[in-house]
Amino acid sequence: AQSVAQPEDQVNVAEGNPLTVKCTYSVSGNPYLFWYVQYPNRGLQFLLKYITGDNLVKGSYGFEAEFNKSQTSFHLKKPSALVSDSALYFCAVSFSGGYNKLIFGAGTRLAVHP
Amino acid sequence: DGGITQSPKYLFRKEGQNVTLSCEQNLNHDAMYWYRQDPGQGLRLIYYSQIVNDFQKGDIAEGYSVSREKKESFPLTVTSAQKNPTAFYLCASSRITGGDNTGELFFGEGSRLTVL
């Protein structure tokens, strides 16, 4: 079965420190991987995606993610966290032949402390 | 500005009543989606549509209905048959390219439904 796992409900980071939000997936076929961010009572905003090519993907607001096929992971990273990065982060996957079916993880709440 | 508009933002409903949530997009996207968000459960797909006058059930379609009479509009009706309708509902749209979902979803701001 196709699935996405975000193993941490919450990640706490001090401002200025690097942050990582973890995501692993299980799909048949080639995965298409996405990260979205959600601020309170708002819709989701697209951050970045991996479709093919370079395993390191750069996105909005200084975020990046690395596709690791052997570990079936797509962790979200940022070298230096900001308090304004505090939000709910969702990893999502679709797959070749899985026409328009995007599967979301449960979300990870990122809290960046001053 | 291009985007997706959902209305109303907040809605209260008595048990046994149907309610319709509006979703309009001016992005000229072919595909539209409805998701339900509950705390700790991420987003679950209710219905999606790839073309006008056609739509498919998602993972939790029971108790919901949709229509797609126009490309820009994809309203969701939460019927009295939905056992636990209190939730945050998100509408989204995307381009369709080459038959695979490689395009990102654009989301509306959501509608919060509370059943009293």
Side-chain angles (χ1 to χ4, degrees):
Chain A
Q2 328 286 356
S3 66
V4 178
Q6 294 182 242
E8 302 154 317
D9 291 335
Q10 179 151 335
V11 170
N12 296 297
V13 175
E15 187 174 30
N17 283 1
L19 69 87
T20 299
V21 183
K22 296 180 180 177
C23 172
T24 59
Y25 65 90
S26 173
V27 297
S28 55
N30 296 320
Y32 305 137
L33 296 152
F34 302 80
W35 276 102
Y36 290 83
V37 60
Q38 185 182 35
Y39 297 97
N41 293 310
R42 304 292 296 275
L44 276 67
Q45 298 176 32
F46 169 77
L47 279 179
L48 51 79
K49 67 180 178 183
Y50 171 83
I51 303 299
T52 187
D54 194 346
N55 289 345
L56 184 63
V57 178
K58 294 187 183 297
S60 306
Y61 312 121
F63 284 93
E64 59 187 30
E66 185 167 13
F67 171 61
N68 187 319
K69 188 173 183 178
S70 63
Q71 297 185 5
T72 62
S73 68
F74 190 58
H75 301 332
L76 181 70
K77 300 182 179 185
K78 187 174 182 180
S80 178
L82 300 172
V83 172
S84 58
D85 292 329
S86 299
L88 188 57
Y89 289 81
F90 289 98
C91 181
V93 63
S94 65
F95 45 93
S96 59
Y99 191 37
N100 285 341
K101 287 291 294 285
L102 201 61
I103 302 166
F104 284 84
T108 298
R109 187 164 301 282
L110 174 66
V112 182
H113 305 285
Chain B
D1 286 0
I4 299 180
T5 302
Q6 288 187 242
S7 63
K9 191 169 179 64
Y10 297 96
L11 186 62
F12 297 89
R13 186 194 96 176
K14 293 181 180 179
E15 281 192 25
Q17 290 180 335
N18 293 355
V19 62
T20 297
L21 307 181
S22 170
C23 178
E24 303 277 334
Q25 56 102 356
N26 61 5
L27 299 167
N28 200 32
H29 286 168
D30 288 304
M32 296 188 74
Y33 314 79
W34 275 104
Y35 286 90
R36 171 180 170 140
Q37 183 177 15
D38 295 283
Q41 294 194 46
L43 276 67
R44 293 181 290 169
L45 182 64
I46 305 173
Y47 269 99
Y48 64 103
S49 168
Q50 299 162 1
I51 195 170
V52 174
N53 292 324
D54 187 46
F55 47 83
Q56 287 77 41
K57 292 181 179 180
D59 300 316
I60 56 165
E62 185 176 352
Y64 299 97
S65 65
V66 293
S67 63
R68 187 89 186 274
E69 297 177 1
K70 298 185 300 181
K71 186 176 184 177
E72 311 81 55
S73 179
F74 192 43
L76 173 75
T77 297
V78 184
T79 75
S80 57
Q82 169 50 235
K83 300 298 182 191
N84 185 21
T86 295
F88 191 51
Y89 291 88
L90 288 161
C91 179
S93 70
S94 72
R95 287 186 294 269
I96 297 176
T97 54
D100 276 347
N101 191 12
T102 61
E104 60 267 32
L105 269 61
F106 291 76
F107 283 85
E109 292 294 285
S111 293
R112 187 168 297 280
L113 172 63
T114 302
V115 175
L116 302 174

